[in-house]
Amino acid sequence: MSNSDETAESMTQKVKGFLEKPMRVMLIDGRVVTGNFQCLDRETNIILSNAIEYYDVKEDLNLEADLVSSRHLGLTVIPGKNITRCEAQVN
């Protein structure tokens, strides 16, 4: 097995560890989408279940603030080209 194969296998295992875990995805236009991680493809598109989109998010990413607007998306695909950062909650 080559070094690149080992690296790919290692990355695959890491991604599998995020399955069904809560994830927060920040987008280039300032929106934040939270939900449970379901899938990542070769183009870095992310699928989240039970997703909620937050907009008008303040810089501190305080999603509990009264002034944050949100909407329920359900199952959603987030294009990788629009993602600036992802945070997964792992225990």
Side-chain angles (χ1 to χ4, degrees):
M1 185 181 280
S2 71
N3 195 17
S4 63
D5 290 338
E6 291 174 10
T7 302
E9 183 65 29
S10 172
M11 292 304 293
T12 300
Q13 291 304 316
K14 277 187 180 180
V15 170
K16 284 182 179 180
F18 296 140
L19 289 174
E20 299 293 329
K21 301 286 193 243
M23 181 173 276
R24 183 185 325 200
V25 180
M26 280 62 81
L27 305 177
I28 58 175
D29 62 2
R31 292 177 294 160
V32 176
V33 180
T34 62
N36 296 324
F37 177 72
Q38 299 298 315
C39 182
L40 174 71
D41 66 13
R42 292 182 190 271
E43 289 79 36
T44 64
N45 300 315
I46 292 177
I47 298 177
L48 297 178
S49 64
N50 300 317
I52 299 174
E53 174 190 52
Y54 297 92
Y55 45 99
D56 298 331
V57 177
K58 307 304 176 222
E59 288 297 318
D60 62 0
L61 295 176
N62 181 4
L63 300 181
E64 306 304 321
D66 293 335
L67 301 177
V68 174
S69 301
S70 67
R71 67 179 178 152
H72 181 76
L73 301 175
L75 187 65
T76 190
V77 177
I78 304 170
K81 66 182 181 180
N82 294 331
I83 297 172
T84 61
R85 188 172 77 193
C86 297
E87 299 171 352
Q89 180 182 357
V90 292
N91 297 337

